[in-house]
Amino acid sequence: MTALAESKARELHRTYCITGPEDLADLEAIANAECLIIEEADLANCQGKIRYEQDCGLIKISSAIREPGARRFVIAHEMGHFFSESSRLNNCSSRYLTPVRSNPQNENNANAFAVEFLMRREWYEAFVKDKDPGIDTIREAAEYFAVSLSAAAIRYAQAGNFPIAAIMAHRGRVSWSAISESFPYQFIGKSCQVNGSSEAYAFFRGEEVDTSPHTVLADSWFLNDRNFRRCHFLTEQCLPMPNYKSILTVLWEEPIK
Ligand SMILES: [Zn+2]
């Protein structure tokens, strides 16, 4: 269902001769060229909104967004509504701006457009091709594509060179997860409590977190997955985000070197 939104993103790349993320440095100029005006506004319950007619529109971005990468993603997401929907009005809360497939279809379409537009699959695959999985690669990708860590991690689960599970936990509960199709486990309950044996839980206990890749049992995250195996070791790496009371965890099967 999101293929059309992705093809619209590619079409826009062709129209503006965009061949890499460096050509997207001035995202607003591209939006303006498509008759989309962008304003910052004090938005009460959403990160971004768009109101549009057939060939022009007004995008409002929350002035509370601190991260430039997150701001760019919201702009691209609102552009996605314009190019792939006909509803004319969208208010987009933060939960709709996480590009995982659990949102209403129009939000999934807007996210699919934004992901493909900012991190086109071939660009992402080429960027991570010779890199090890883990937080460092995701951090480098976030910088290279000028997006948030969350967006770069979710794209890695779709287009990275190793199967991974990326999990964001907030105040002790899973807020989202993105899992590669070929990762051995696929289920993490949304809003489920972080397991006490995981490194992420140490963060919520206020303890020091080991941010290097380390070995964990699958029990720490996937006890409720129907394919759960005992004594199955995974590699885990965590990135605490204390300003957001959150921690990003990435898991993969590659053994530590
Ligand atoms: Zn939206």
Side-chain angles (χ1 to χ4, degrees):
M1 288 291 281
T2 55
L4 188 64
E6 288 166 0
S7 77
K8 287 280 182 188
R10 289 164 169 267
E11 191 182 311
L12 218 57
H13 289 161
R14 276 196 299 279
T15 303
Y16 291 95
C17 302
I18 294 162
T19 58
E22 63 280 2
D23 295 328
L24 290 168
D26 195 347
L27 194 56
E28 291 190 36
I30 298 167
N32 292 163
E34 291 293 319
C35 292
L36 292 170
I37 304 302
I38 296 171
E39 287 181 0
E40 286 209 352
D42 187 11
L43 303 180
N45 297 314
C46 57
Q47 302 281 291
K49 60 190 338 186
I50 181 166
R51 181 184 290 273
Y52 54 98
E53 300 298 329
Q54 198 168 0
D55 49 12
C56 63
L58 174 65
I59 292 173
K60 291 194 175 182
I61 305 292
S62 169
S63 51
I65 299 174
R66 286 172 281 177
E67 258 191 89
R71 187 177 184 279
R72 279 166 59 80
F73 194 86
V74 177
I75 293 172
H77 173 101
E78 301 305 337
M79 290 170 74
H81 282 302
F82 178 70
F83 288 112
S84 58
E85 299 289 332
S86 56
S87 65
R88 316 280 165 143
L89 177 66
N90 285 90
N91 294 332
C92 307
S93 66
S94 56
R95 74 192 167 105
Y96 291 158
L97 283 149
T98 303
V100 290
R101 299 279 169 90
S102 60
N103 291 317
Q105 190 58 48
N106 65 327
E107 299 299 341
N108 283 341
N109 288 339
N111 283 329
F113 174 92
V115 167
E116 189 68 10
F117 192 58
L118 297 176
M119 297 176 282
R120 188 170 168 138
R121 180 172 281 272
E122 302 93 296
W123 305 344
Y124 201 95
E125 286 172 350
F127 183 78
V128 301
K129 186 166 161 274
D130 299 318
K131 296 181 169 67
D132 292 332
I135 295 291
D136 289 349
T137 294
I138 288 168
R139 208 198 300 261
E140 285 171 31
E143 197 172 319
Y144 180 68
F145 291 101
V147 297
S148 67
L149 275 167
S150 296
I154 291 165
R155 190 50 155 167
Y156 192 100
Q158 301 165 345
N161 51 341
F162 289 88
I164 66 156
I167 304 159
M168 185 69 81
H170 175 66
R171 294 182 186 272
R173 292 189 176 273
V174 170
S175 51
W176 58 257
S177 61
I179 303 178
S180 306
E181 281 176 9
S182 53
F183 191 77
Y185 305 110
Q186 293 291 312
F187 178 76
I188 294 181
K190 202 174 174 199
S191 303
C192 75
Q193 193 127 25
V194 173
N195 189 303
S197 68
S198 67
E199 196 66 28
Y201 193 75
F203 170 73
F204 294 114
R205 272 199 302 255
E207 296 169 6
E208 196 170 335
V209 174
D210 179 0
T211 56
S212 62
H214 52 264
T215 301
V216 290
L217 280 165
D219 308 41
S220 295
W221 292 102
F222 300 106
L223 271 175
N224 295 323
D225 189 290
R226 64 194 171 114
N227 294 318
F228 170 71
R229 282 183 276 151
R230 294 210 175 275
C231 302
H232 184 199
F233 289 96
L234 299 168
T235 305
E236 174 189 70
Q237 192 174 16
C238 299
L239 178 68
M241 305 165 97
N243 290 345
Y244 299 97
K245 296 184 170 46
S246 300
I247 184 164
L248 174 65
T249 301
V250 178
L251 297 132
W252 65 98
E253 280 199 287
E254 173 86 345
I256 296 171
K257 289 174 186 167

PDB file of all heavy atoms in Angstrom, residues 4 18 26 42 57 91 115-116 118 125 135 152 165 172 176 183 198 225 230 239 241 245:
ATOM      1  N   LEU A   4       3.031   3.364  -3.677  1.00  0.00           N
ATOM      2  CA  LEU A   4       2.723   4.568  -4.444  1.00  0.00           C
ATOM      3  C   LEU A   4       3.407   5.790  -3.827  1.00  0.00           C
ATOM      4  O   LEU A   4       3.979   6.626  -4.535  1.00  0.00           O
ATOM      5  CB  LEU A   4       1.204   4.770  -4.489  1.00  0.00           C
ATOM      6  CG  LEU A   4       0.722   5.884  -5.403  1.00  0.00           C
ATOM      7  CD1 LEU A   4       1.068   5.579  -6.858  1.00  0.00           C
ATOM      8  CD2 LEU A   4      -0.787   6.079  -5.255  1.00  0.00           C
ATOM      9  N   ILE A  18      17.813  15.002  -7.973  1.00  0.00           N
ATOM     10  CA  ILE A  18      18.393  14.723  -6.652  1.00  0.00           C
ATOM     11  C   ILE A  18      19.045  13.344  -6.713  1.00  0.00           C
ATOM     12  O   ILE A  18      18.371  12.341  -6.956  1.00  0.00           O
ATOM     13  CB  ILE A  18      17.290  14.760  -5.571  1.00  0.00           C
ATOM     14  CG1 ILE A  18      16.748  16.189  -5.444  1.00  0.00           C
ATOM     15  CG2 ILE A  18      17.815  14.265  -4.231  1.00  0.00           C
ATOM     16  CD1 ILE A  18      15.404  16.275  -4.747  1.00  0.00           C
ATOM     17  N   ASP A  26      18.575  21.715   1.304  1.00  0.00           N
ATOM     18  CA  ASP A  26      17.545  22.746   1.427  1.00  0.00           C
ATOM     19  C   ASP A  26      16.182  22.150   1.085  1.00  0.00           C
ATOM     20  O   ASP A  26      15.637  22.356   0.002  1.00  0.00           O
ATOM     21  CB  ASP A  26      17.869  23.928   0.504  1.00  0.00           C
ATOM     22  CG  ASP A  26      17.046  25.158   0.868  1.00  0.00           C
ATOM     23  OD1 ASP A  26      16.077  25.013   1.655  1.00  0.00           O
ATOM     24  OD2 ASP A  26      17.359  26.254   0.366  1.00  0.00           O
ATOM     25  N   ASP A  42       3.129  27.496  17.021  1.00  0.00           N
ATOM     26  CA  ASP A  42       2.944  26.902  18.343  1.00  0.00           C
ATOM     27  C   ASP A  42       1.778  25.918  18.237  1.00  0.00           C
ATOM     28  O   ASP A  42       0.621  26.310  18.300  1.00  0.00           O
ATOM     29  CB  ASP A  42       2.645  28.045  19.327  1.00  0.00           C
ATOM     30  CG  ASP A  42       2.597  27.547  20.752  1.00  0.00           C
ATOM     31  OD1 ASP A  42       3.000  26.390  20.980  1.00  0.00           O
ATOM     32  OD2 ASP A  42       2.149  28.307  21.624  1.00  0.00           O
ATOM     33  N   GLY A  57      -0.234  24.223  -0.780  1.00  0.00           N
ATOM     34  CA  GLY A  57      -0.614  23.926   0.590  1.00  0.00           C
ATOM     35  C   GLY A  57       0.224  24.684   1.602  1.00  0.00           C
ATOM     36  O   GLY A  57       1.235  25.317   1.270  1.00  0.00           O
ATOM     37  N   ASN A  91      -3.490  16.538  10.777  1.00  0.00           N
ATOM     38  CA  ASN A  91      -2.790  16.932  11.995  1.00  0.00           C
ATOM     39  C   ASN A  91      -1.996  15.718  12.448  1.00  0.00           C
ATOM     40  O   ASN A  91      -2.568  14.654  12.658  1.00  0.00           O
ATOM     41  CB  ASN A  91      -3.784  17.312  13.103  1.00  0.00           C
ATOM     42  CG  ASN A  91      -4.558  18.563  12.745  1.00  0.00           C
ATOM     43  OD1 ASN A  91      -4.065  19.416  12.008  1.00  0.00           O
ATOM     44  ND2 ASN A  91      -5.761  18.673  13.241  1.00  0.00           N
ATOM     45  N   VAL A 115      10.519   8.621   4.349  1.00  0.00           N
ATOM     46  CA  VAL A 115      11.684   7.731   4.466  1.00  0.00           C
ATOM     47  C   VAL A 115      12.369   7.579   3.115  1.00  0.00           C
ATOM     48  O   VAL A 115      13.593   7.695   2.998  1.00  0.00           O
ATOM     49  CB  VAL A 115      11.245   6.353   5.037  1.00  0.00           C
ATOM     50  CG1 VAL A 115      12.343   5.325   4.870  1.00  0.00           C
ATOM     51  CG2 VAL A 115      10.860   6.496   6.504  1.00  0.00           C
ATOM     52  N   GLU A 116      11.593   7.338   2.072  1.00  0.00           N
ATOM     53  CA  GLU A 116      12.186   7.132   0.745  1.00  0.00           C
ATOM     54  C   GLU A 116      12.769   8.444   0.214  1.00  0.00           C
ATOM     55  O   GLU A 116      13.807   8.442  -0.442  1.00  0.00           O
ATOM     56  CB  GLU A 116      11.130   6.574  -0.214  1.00  0.00           C
ATOM     57  CG  GLU A 116      11.658   6.118  -1.565  1.00  0.00           C
ATOM     58  CD  GLU A 116      12.551   4.884  -1.475  1.00  0.00           C
ATOM     59  OE1 GLU A 116      12.620   4.257  -0.399  1.00  0.00           O
ATOM     60  OE2 GLU A 116      13.203   4.576  -2.489  1.00  0.00           O
ATOM     61  N   LEU A 118      14.015  11.039   1.977  1.00  0.00           N
ATOM     62  CA  LEU A 118      15.221  11.471   2.695  1.00  0.00           C
ATOM     63  C   LEU A 118      16.317  10.409   2.709  1.00  0.00           C
ATOM     64  O   LEU A 118      17.500  10.735   2.782  1.00  0.00           O
ATOM     65  CB  LEU A 118      14.859  11.832   4.143  1.00  0.00           C
ATOM     66  CG  LEU A 118      13.897  12.999   4.332  1.00  0.00           C
ATOM     67  CD1 LEU A 118      13.553  13.160   5.806  1.00  0.00           C
ATOM     68  CD2 LEU A 118      14.474  14.298   3.785  1.00  0.00           C
ATOM     69  N   GLU A 125      21.378   1.643   1.488  1.00  0.00           N
ATOM     70  CA  GLU A 125      22.081   0.360   1.352  1.00  0.00           C
ATOM     71  C   GLU A 125      23.564   0.604   1.060  1.00  0.00           C
ATOM     72  O   GLU A 125      24.433  -0.064   1.624  1.00  0.00           O
ATOM     73  CB  GLU A 125      21.456  -0.469   0.220  1.00  0.00           C
ATOM     74  CG  GLU A 125      20.109  -1.057   0.604  1.00  0.00           C
ATOM     75  CD  GLU A 125      19.372  -1.712  -0.556  1.00  0.00           C
ATOM     76  OE1 GLU A 125      19.802  -1.552  -1.715  1.00  0.00           O
ATOM     77  OE2 GLU A 125      18.365  -2.377  -0.290  1.00  0.00           O
ATOM     78  N   ILE A 135      24.985   0.871  17.047  1.00  0.00           N
ATOM     79  CA  ILE A 135      24.630   2.276  17.271  1.00  0.00           C
ATOM     80  C   ILE A 135      25.509   3.226  16.459  1.00  0.00           C
ATOM     81  O   ILE A 135      25.029   4.220  15.917  1.00  0.00           O
ATOM     82  CB  ILE A 135      24.747   2.617  18.783  1.00  0.00           C
ATOM     83  CG1 ILE A 135      23.713   1.813  19.595  1.00  0.00           C
ATOM     84  CG2 ILE A 135      24.617   4.110  19.025  1.00  0.00           C
ATOM     85  CD1 ILE A 135      22.269   2.201  19.379  1.00  0.00           C
ATOM     86  N   ALA A 152      16.743   6.948  11.362  1.00  0.00           N
ATOM     87  CA  ALA A 152      17.881   6.195  10.798  1.00  0.00           C
ATOM     88  C   ALA A 152      17.860   4.739  11.264  1.00  0.00           C
ATOM     89  O   ALA A 152      18.182   3.819  10.507  1.00  0.00           O
ATOM     90  CB  ALA A 152      19.194   6.859  11.197  1.00  0.00           C
ATOM     91  N   ALA A 165      16.882  -5.780  15.289  1.00  0.00           N
ATOM     92  CA  ALA A 165      15.677  -5.261  15.941  1.00  0.00           C
ATOM     93  C   ALA A 165      16.096  -3.950  16.590  1.00  0.00           C
ATOM     94  O   ALA A 165      17.096  -3.911  17.318  1.00  0.00           O
ATOM     95  CB  ALA A 165      15.160  -6.234  16.988  1.00  0.00           C
ATOM     96  N   GLY A 172      10.402   3.215  30.787  1.00  0.00           N
ATOM     97  CA  GLY A 172      10.264   1.808  31.183  1.00  0.00           C
ATOM     98  C   GLY A 172       9.385   0.965  30.282  1.00  0.00           C
ATOM     99  O   GLY A 172       9.235  -0.237  30.522  1.00  0.00           O
ATOM    100  N   TRP A 176       8.233   2.028  20.537  1.00  0.00           N
ATOM    101  CA  TRP A 176       8.114   1.482  19.187  1.00  0.00           C
ATOM    102  C   TRP A 176       9.220   0.471  18.971  1.00  0.00           C
ATOM    103  O   TRP A 176      10.234   0.463  19.681  1.00  0.00           O
ATOM    104  CB  TRP A 176       8.125   2.561  18.101  1.00  0.00           C
ATOM    105  CG  TRP A 176       9.326   3.465  18.050  1.00  0.00           C
ATOM    106  CD1 TRP A 176       9.386   4.755  18.499  1.00  0.00           C
ATOM    107  CD2 TRP A 176      10.642   3.160  17.514  1.00  0.00           C
ATOM    108  NE1 TRP A 176      10.650   5.262  18.291  1.00  0.00           N
ATOM    109  CE2 TRP A 176      11.434   4.310  17.679  1.00  0.00           C
ATOM    110  CE3 TRP A 176      11.219   2.049  16.912  1.00  0.00           C
ATOM    111  CZ2 TRP A 176      12.771   4.374  17.269  1.00  0.00           C
ATOM    112  CZ3 TRP A 176      12.546   2.095  16.506  1.00  0.00           C
ATOM    113  CH2 TRP A 176      13.302   3.261  16.686  1.00  0.00           C
ATOM    114  N   PHE A 183      15.095 -11.093  10.757  1.00  0.00           N
ATOM    115  CA  PHE A 183      15.522 -11.247  12.157  1.00  0.00           C
ATOM    116  C   PHE A 183      14.743 -12.426  12.756  1.00  0.00           C
ATOM    117  O   PHE A 183      13.571 -12.627  12.430  1.00  0.00           O
ATOM    118  CB  PHE A 183      15.237  -9.951  12.926  1.00  0.00           C
ATOM    119  CG  PHE A 183      15.862  -9.894  14.288  1.00  0.00           C
ATOM    120  CD1 PHE A 183      17.217  -9.639  14.428  1.00  0.00           C
ATOM    121  CD2 PHE A 183      15.106 -10.101  15.436  1.00  0.00           C
ATOM    122  CE1 PHE A 183      17.804  -9.587  15.689  1.00  0.00           C
ATOM    123  CE2 PHE A 183      15.676 -10.053  16.690  1.00  0.00           C
ATOM    124  CZ  PHE A 183      17.039  -9.799  16.815  1.00  0.00           C
ATOM    125  N   SER A 198      17.239  -6.755  30.972  1.00  0.00           N
ATOM    126  CA  SER A 198      17.867  -6.058  29.837  1.00  0.00           C
ATOM    127  C   SER A 198      18.705  -4.877  30.328  1.00  0.00           C
ATOM    128  O   SER A 198      18.490  -4.345  31.422  1.00  0.00           O
ATOM    129  CB  SER A 198      16.794  -5.551  28.875  1.00  0.00           C
ATOM    130  OG  SER A 198      16.048  -4.529  29.507  1.00  0.00           O
ATOM    131  N   ASP A 225       7.682 -14.014  22.061  1.00  0.00           N
ATOM    132  CA  ASP A 225       7.656 -14.305  20.620  1.00  0.00           C
ATOM    133  C   ASP A 225       7.417 -15.801  20.425  1.00  0.00           C
ATOM    134  O   ASP A 225       7.982 -16.629  21.142  1.00  0.00           O
ATOM    135  CB  ASP A 225       9.007 -13.899  20.001  1.00  0.00           C
ATOM    136  CG  ASP A 225       8.978 -13.960  18.496  1.00  0.00           C
ATOM    137  OD1 ASP A 225       8.927 -15.082  17.938  1.00  0.00           O
ATOM    138  OD2 ASP A 225       9.007 -12.882  17.868  1.00  0.00           O
ATOM    139  N   ARG A 230      15.284 -20.779  24.011  1.00  0.00           N
ATOM    140  CA  ARG A 230      16.119 -20.625  25.201  1.00  0.00           C
ATOM    141  C   ARG A 230      17.588 -20.715  24.795  1.00  0.00           C
ATOM    142  O   ARG A 230      17.935 -21.295  23.773  1.00  0.00           O
ATOM    143  CB  ARG A 230      15.806 -21.721  26.219  1.00  0.00           C
ATOM    144  CG  ARG A 230      14.408 -21.597  26.771  1.00  0.00           C
ATOM    145  CD  ARG A 230      14.275 -22.113  28.194  1.00  0.00           C
ATOM    146  NE  ARG A 230      12.924 -21.831  28.668  1.00  0.00           N
ATOM    147  CZ  ARG A 230      12.552 -20.677  29.201  1.00  0.00           C
ATOM    148  NH1 ARG A 230      13.421 -19.720  29.396  1.00  0.00           N
ATOM    149  NH2 ARG A 230      11.302 -20.482  29.571  1.00  0.00           N
ATOM    150  N   LEU A 239      21.737   2.978  23.459  1.00  0.00           N
ATOM    151  CA  LEU A 239      22.060   4.403  23.463  1.00  0.00           C
ATOM    152  C   LEU A 239      21.073   5.136  24.370  1.00  0.00           C
ATOM    153  O   LEU A 239      19.917   5.352  23.998  1.00  0.00           O
ATOM    154  CB  LEU A 239      21.968   4.967  22.030  1.00  0.00           C
ATOM    155  CG  LEU A 239      22.240   6.468  21.933  1.00  0.00           C
ATOM    156  CD1 LEU A 239      23.698   6.795  22.240  1.00  0.00           C
ATOM    157  CD2 LEU A 239      21.880   6.998  20.553  1.00  0.00           C
ATOM    158  N   MET A 241      19.122   8.101  26.023  1.00  0.00           N
ATOM    159  CA  MET A 241      18.741   9.448  25.588  1.00  0.00           C
ATOM    160  C   MET A 241      18.059  10.125  26.779  1.00  0.00           C
ATOM    161  O   MET A 241      16.826  10.257  26.827  1.00  0.00           O
ATOM    162  CB  MET A 241      17.801   9.358  24.379  1.00  0.00           C
ATOM    163  CG  MET A 241      18.406   8.546  23.245  1.00  0.00           C
ATOM    164  SD  MET A 241      17.222   8.036  21.978  1.00  0.00           S
ATOM    165  CE  MET A 241      17.471   9.300  20.769  1.00  0.00           C
ATOM    166  N   LYS A 245      14.144  10.801  28.356  1.00  0.00           N
ATOM    167  CA  LYS A 245      13.811   9.688  29.262  1.00  0.00           C
ATOM    168  C   LYS A 245      13.587   8.390  28.480  1.00  0.00           C
ATOM    169  O   LYS A 245      12.655   7.617  28.733  1.00  0.00           O
ATOM    170  CB  LYS A 245      12.580  10.028  30.114  1.00  0.00           C
ATOM    171  CG  LYS A 245      12.851  11.215  31.037  1.00  0.00           C
ATOM    172  CD  LYS A 245      11.707  11.513  31.943  1.00  0.00           C
ATOM    173  CE  LYS A 245      12.059  12.535  33.015  1.00  0.00           C
ATOM    174  NZ  LYS A 245      12.779  13.736  32.550  1.00  0.00           N
TER     175      LYS A 245
END
